[in-house]
PDB file of all heavy atoms in Angstrom:
ATOM      1  N   LEU A 148     -74.520 -24.776  31.974  1.00 78.00           N
ATOM      2  CA  LEU A 148     -74.145 -25.659  33.006  1.00 78.00           C
ATOM      3  C   LEU A 148     -75.048 -25.674  34.288  1.00 78.00           C
ATOM      4  O   LEU A 148     -74.939 -26.416  35.094  1.00 78.00           O
ATOM      5  CB  LEU A 148     -72.809 -25.266  33.551  1.00 78.00           C
ATOM      6  CG  LEU A 148     -71.724 -25.248  32.532  1.00 78.00           C
ATOM      7  CD1 LEU A 148     -70.409 -24.780  33.073  1.00 78.00           C
ATOM      8  CD2 LEU A 148     -71.372 -26.630  31.983  1.00 78.00           C
ATOM      9  N   GLY A 149     -76.012 -24.810  34.223  1.00 79.00           N
ATOM     10  CA  GLY A 149     -76.939 -24.641  35.367  1.00 79.00           C
ATOM     11  C   GLY A 149     -76.454 -23.767  36.427  1.00 79.00           C
ATOM     12  O   GLY A 149     -75.385 -23.002  36.328  1.00 79.00           O
ATOM     13  N   ASN A 150     -77.294 -23.729  37.407  1.00 79.00           N
ATOM     14  CA  ASN A 150     -76.972 -22.682  38.471  1.00 79.00           C
ATOM     15  C   ASN A 150     -76.441 -23.279  39.719  1.00 79.00           C
ATOM     16  O   ASN A 150     -76.585 -22.560  40.922  1.00 79.00           O
ATOM     17  CB  ASN A 150     -78.310 -21.878  38.835  1.00 79.00           C
ATOM     18  CG  ASN A 150     -78.120 -20.622  39.523  1.00 79.00           C
ATOM     19  OD1 ASN A 150     -77.086 -20.078  39.395  1.00 79.00           O
ATOM     20  ND2 ASN A 150     -79.198 -20.081  40.155  1.00 79.00           N
ATOM     21  N   GLN A 151     -75.761 -24.339  39.652  1.00 74.00           N
ATOM     22  CA  GLN A 151     -75.054 -25.033  40.795  1.00 74.00           C
ATOM     23  C   GLN A 151     -73.705 -24.392  41.121  1.00 74.00           C
ATOM     24  O   GLN A 151     -73.015 -24.078  40.103  1.00 74.00           O
ATOM     25  CB  GLN A 151     -74.998 -26.500  40.504  1.00 74.00           C
ATOM     26  CG  GLN A 151     -76.325 -27.331  40.534  1.00 74.00           C
ATOM     27  CD  GLN A 151     -76.880 -27.238  39.127  1.00 74.00           C
ATOM     28  OE1 GLN A 151     -76.458 -26.753  38.209  1.00 74.00           O
ATOM     29  NE2 GLN A 151     -78.275 -27.685  39.116  1.00 74.00           N
ATOM     30  N   PRO A 152     -73.324 -24.405  42.347  1.00 68.00           N
ATOM     31  CA  PRO A 152     -71.912 -24.020  42.585  1.00 68.00           C
ATOM     32  C   PRO A 152     -70.950 -24.900  42.134  1.00 68.00           C
ATOM     33  O   PRO A 152     -71.279 -26.138  41.877  1.00 68.00           O
ATOM     34  CB  PRO A 152     -71.912 -23.762  44.077  1.00 68.00           C
ATOM     35  CG  PRO A 152     -73.068 -24.582  44.525  1.00 68.00           C
ATOM     36  CD  PRO A 152     -74.088 -24.643  43.470  1.00 68.00           C
ATOM     37  N   ALA A 153     -69.711 -24.636  41.906  1.00 68.00           N
ATOM     38  CA  ALA A 153     -68.679 -25.523  41.536  1.00 68.00           C
ATOM     39  C   ALA A 153     -68.387 -26.617  42.519  1.00 68.00           C
ATOM     40  O   ALA A 153     -68.203 -27.758  42.093  1.00 68.00           O
ATOM     41  CB  ALA A 153     -67.282 -24.857  41.364  1.00 68.00           C
ATOM     42  N   PHE A 154     -68.671 -26.410  43.769  1.00 68.00           N
ATOM     43  CA  PHE A 154     -68.405 -27.447  44.862  1.00 68.00           C
ATOM     44  C   PHE A 154     -69.664 -27.531  45.748  1.00 68.00           C
ATOM     45  O   PHE A 154     -70.232 -26.408  46.137  1.00 68.00           O
ATOM     46  CB  PHE A 154     -67.224 -27.064  45.720  1.00 68.00           C
ATOM     47  CG  PHE A 154     -65.975 -26.968  45.003  1.00 68.00           C
ATOM     48  CD1 PHE A 154     -65.370 -25.681  44.814  1.00 68.00           C
ATOM     49  CD2 PHE A 154     -65.327 -27.931  44.353  1.00 68.00           C
ATOM     50  CE1 PHE A 154     -64.190 -25.414  44.156  1.00 68.00           C
ATOM     51  CE2 PHE A 154     -64.223 -27.749  43.612  1.00 68.00           C
ATOM     52  CZ  PHE A 154     -63.690 -26.466  43.492  1.00 68.00           C
ATOM     53  N   GLN A 155     -70.000 -28.756  46.173  1.00 70.00           N
ATOM     54  CA  GLN A 155     -71.031 -28.953  47.146  1.00 70.00           C
ATOM     55  C   GLN A 155     -70.381 -28.826  48.570  1.00 70.00           C
ATOM     56  O   GLN A 155     -69.505 -29.761  48.847  1.00 70.00           O
ATOM     57  CB  GLN A 155     -71.805 -30.263  46.916  1.00 70.00           C
ATOM     58  CG  GLN A 155     -72.480 -30.380  45.618  1.00 70.00           C
ATOM     59  CD  GLN A 155     -73.584 -29.331  45.496  1.00 70.00           C
ATOM     60  OE1 GLN A 155     -74.246 -29.049  46.407  1.00 70.00           O
ATOM     61  NE2 GLN A 155     -73.640 -28.808  44.271  1.00 70.00           N
ATOM     62  N   ILE A 156     -70.603 -27.833  49.316  1.00 71.00           N
ATOM     63  CA  ILE A 156     -69.914 -27.599  50.501  1.00 71.00           C
ATOM     64  C   ILE A 156     -70.913 -27.890  51.689  1.00 71.00           C
ATOM     65  O   ILE A 156     -71.864 -27.346  51.888  1.00 71.00           O
ATOM     66  CB  ILE A 156     -69.445 -26.188  50.653  1.00 71.00           C
ATOM     67  CG1 ILE A 156     -68.448 -25.927  49.386  1.00 71.00           C
ATOM     68  CG2 ILE A 156     -68.740 -25.835  51.944  1.00 71.00           C
ATOM     69  CD1 ILE A 156     -67.983 -24.624  49.237  1.00 71.00           C
ATOM     70  N   PRO A 157     -70.449 -28.825  52.588  1.00 70.00           N
ATOM     71  CA  PRO A 157     -71.240 -29.203  53.797  1.00 70.00           C
ATOM     72  C   PRO A 157     -71.168 -27.933  54.727  1.00 70.00           C
ATOM     73  O   PRO A 157     -70.137 -27.210  54.690  1.00 70.00           O
ATOM     74  CB  PRO A 157     -70.594 -30.326  54.342  1.00 70.00           C
ATOM     75  CG  PRO A 157     -69.315 -30.465  53.956  1.00 70.00           C
ATOM     76  CD  PRO A 157     -69.324 -29.798  52.534  1.00 70.00           C
ATOM     77  N   PRO A 158     -72.145 -27.722  55.597  1.00 70.00           N
ATOM     78  CA  PRO A 158     -71.992 -26.585  56.598  1.00 70.00           C
ATOM     79  C   PRO A 158     -70.817 -26.750  57.555  1.00 70.00           C
ATOM     80  O   PRO A 158     -70.643 -27.770  58.134  1.00 70.00           O
ATOM     81  CB  PRO A 158     -73.406 -26.622  57.264  1.00 70.00           C
ATOM     82  CG  PRO A 158     -73.814 -27.898  57.124  1.00 70.00           C
ATOM     83  CD  PRO A 158     -73.275 -28.437  55.854  1.00 70.00           C
ATOM     84  N   PHE A 159     -70.020 -25.691  57.762  1.00 75.00           N
ATOM     85  CA  PHE A 159     -68.941 -25.692  58.719  1.00 75.00           C
ATOM     86  C   PHE A 159     -69.185 -24.476  59.702  1.00 75.00           C
ATOM     87  O   PHE A 159     -69.619 -23.493  59.135  1.00 75.00           O
ATOM     88  CB  PHE A 159     -67.586 -25.517  58.078  1.00 75.00           C
ATOM     89  CG  PHE A 159     -67.148 -26.696  57.262  1.00 75.00           C
ATOM     90  CD1 PHE A 159     -66.827 -26.537  55.798  1.00 75.00           C
ATOM     91  CD2 PHE A 159     -66.889 -27.972  57.852  1.00 75.00           C
ATOM     92  CE1 PHE A 159     -66.549 -27.690  55.104  1.00 75.00           C
ATOM     93  CE2 PHE A 159     -66.534 -28.947  57.150  1.00 75.00           C
ATOM     94  CZ  PHE A 159     -66.283 -28.928  55.669  1.00 75.00           C
ATOM     95  N   ASP A 160     -68.799 -24.738  60.992  1.00 75.00           N
ATOM     96  CA  ASP A 160     -69.074 -23.665  61.921  1.00 75.00           C
ATOM     97  C   ASP A 160     -67.728 -23.217  62.664  1.00 75.00           C
ATOM     98  O   ASP A 160     -66.800 -23.975  62.635  1.00 75.00           O
ATOM     99  CB  ASP A 160     -69.976 -24.158  63.050  1.00 75.00           C
ATOM    100  CG  ASP A 160     -71.411 -24.413  62.573  1.00 75.00           C
ATOM    101  OD1 ASP A 160     -71.943 -23.619  61.793  1.00 75.00           O
ATOM    102  OD2 ASP A 160     -71.961 -25.578  62.954  1.00 75.00           O
ATOM    103  N   LEU A 161     -67.650 -21.994  63.095  1.00 77.00           N
ATOM    104  CA  LEU A 161     -66.628 -21.624  63.904  1.00 77.00           C
ATOM    105  C   LEU A 161     -66.942 -22.054  65.386  1.00 77.00           C
ATOM    106  O   LEU A 161     -68.136 -21.764  65.745  1.00 77.00           O
ATOM    107  CB  LEU A 161     -66.335 -20.098  63.873  1.00 77.00           C
ATOM    108  CG  LEU A 161     -65.577 -19.541  62.800  1.00 77.00           C
ATOM    109  CD1 LEU A 161     -65.531 -18.066  62.768  1.00 77.00           C
ATOM    110  CD2 LEU A 161     -64.133 -20.057  62.922  1.00 77.00           C
ATOM    111  N   TYR A 162     -65.981 -22.736  66.047  1.00 80.00           N
ATOM    112  CA  TYR A 162     -66.563 -23.256  67.502  1.00 80.00           C
ATOM    113  C   TYR A 162     -65.866 -22.294  68.483  1.00 80.00           C
ATOM    114  O   TYR A 162     -66.178 -22.468  69.675  1.00 80.00           O
ATOM    115  CB  TYR A 162     -65.936 -24.619  67.528  1.00 80.00           C
ATOM    116  CG  TYR A 162     -66.671 -25.565  66.506  1.00 80.00           C
ATOM    117  CD1 TYR A 162     -65.915 -25.873  65.404  1.00 80.00           C
ATOM    118  CD2 TYR A 162     -67.790 -26.066  66.826  1.00 80.00           C
ATOM    119  CE1 TYR A 162     -66.619 -26.729  64.430  1.00 80.00           C
ATOM    120  CE2 TYR A 162     -68.477 -26.875  65.997  1.00 80.00           C
ATOM    121  CZ  TYR A 162     -67.842 -27.267  64.767  1.00 80.00           C
ATOM    122  OH  TYR A 162     -68.474 -28.139  63.917  1.00 80.00           O
ATOM    123  N   GLY A 163     -65.067 -21.386  68.132  1.00 81.00           N
ATOM    124  CA  GLY A 163     -64.395 -20.382  69.125  1.00 81.00           C
ATOM    125  C   GLY A 163     -63.298 -19.591  68.516  1.00 81.00           C
ATOM    126  O   GLY A 163     -62.920 -19.902  67.349  1.00 81.00           O
ATOM    127  N   ILE A 164     -62.992 -18.699  69.248  1.00 86.00           N
ATOM    128  CA  ILE A 164     -61.914 -17.743  68.888  1.00 86.00           C
ATOM    129  C   ILE A 164     -60.603 -18.529  68.623  1.00 86.00           C
ATOM    130  O   ILE A 164     -59.728 -18.268  67.818  1.00 86.00           O
ATOM    131  CB  ILE A 164     -61.733 -16.551  69.805  1.00 86.00           C
ATOM    132  CG1 ILE A 164     -60.833 -15.527  69.055  1.00 86.00           C
ATOM    133  CG2 ILE A 164     -61.083 -16.954  70.986  1.00 86.00           C
ATOM    134  CD1 ILE A 164     -61.623 -14.685  68.186  1.00 86.00           C
ATOM    135  N   SER A 165     -60.363 -19.679  69.387  1.00 83.00           N
ATOM    136  CA  SER A 165     -59.145 -20.402  69.295  1.00 83.00           C
ATOM    137  C   SER A 165     -59.110 -21.170  67.860  1.00 83.00           C
ATOM    138  O   SER A 165     -58.004 -21.518  67.569  1.00 83.00           O
ATOM    139  CB  SER A 165     -59.086 -21.512  70.390  1.00 83.00           C
ATOM    140  OG  SER A 165     -60.223 -22.414  70.169  1.00 83.00           O
ATOM    141  N   ASP A 166     -60.197 -21.232  67.247  1.00 86.00           N
ATOM    142  CA  ASP A 166     -60.124 -21.905  65.821  1.00 86.00           C
ATOM    143  C   ASP A 166     -59.107 -21.182  64.916  1.00 86.00           C
ATOM    144  O   ASP A 166     -58.605 -21.550  64.137  1.00 86.00           O
ATOM    145  CB  ASP A 166     -61.531 -21.823  65.095  1.00 86.00           C
ATOM    146  CG  ASP A 166     -62.459 -22.903  65.781  1.00 86.00           C
ATOM    147  OD1 ASP A 166     -62.089 -23.497  66.739  1.00 86.00           O
ATOM    148  OD2 ASP A 166     -63.504 -22.872  65.253  1.00 86.00           O
ATOM    149  N   PHE A 167     -58.978 -19.723  65.118  1.00 89.00           N
ATOM    150  CA  PHE A 167     -58.282 -18.942  64.338  1.00 89.00           C
ATOM    151  C   PHE A 167     -56.839 -19.298  64.449  1.00 89.00           C
ATOM    152  O   PHE A 167     -56.001 -19.069  63.543  1.00 89.00           O
ATOM    153  CB  PHE A 167     -58.582 -17.386  64.636  1.00 89.00           C
ATOM    154  CG  PHE A 167     -59.797 -17.005  64.159  1.00 89.00           C
ATOM    155  CD1 PHE A 167     -60.876 -16.718  64.945  1.00 89.00           C
ATOM    156  CD2 PHE A 167     -59.904 -16.859  62.704  1.00 89.00           C
ATOM    157  CE1 PHE A 167     -61.956 -16.358  64.399  1.00 89.00           C
ATOM    158  CE2 PHE A 167     -61.355 -16.562  62.240  1.00 89.00           C
ATOM    159  CZ  PHE A 167     -62.252 -16.154  63.103  1.00 89.00           C
ATOM    160  N   LEU A 168     -56.419 -19.643  65.656  1.00 91.00           N
ATOM    161  CA  LEU A 168     -54.932 -20.127  65.848  1.00 91.00           C
ATOM    162  C   LEU A 168     -54.658 -21.273  65.042  1.00 91.00           C
ATOM    163  O   LEU A 168     -53.682 -21.236  64.397  1.00 91.00           O
ATOM    164  CB  LEU A 168     -54.898 -20.470  67.383  1.00 91.00           C
ATOM    165  CG  LEU A 168     -53.471 -21.049  67.868  1.00 91.00           C
ATOM    166  CD1 LEU A 168     -52.412 -19.737  67.459  1.00 91.00           C
ATOM    167  CD2 LEU A 168     -53.277 -21.286  69.203  1.00 91.00           C
TER     168      LEU A 168
END
Side-chain angles (χ1 to χ4, degrees):
L148 302 175
N150 200 18
Q151 292 83 9
F154 305 112
Q155 298 300 319
I156 300 172
F159 294 116
D160 294 319
L161 276 175
Y162 297 98
I164 196 78
S165 64
D166 290 2
F167 290 109
L168 179 62

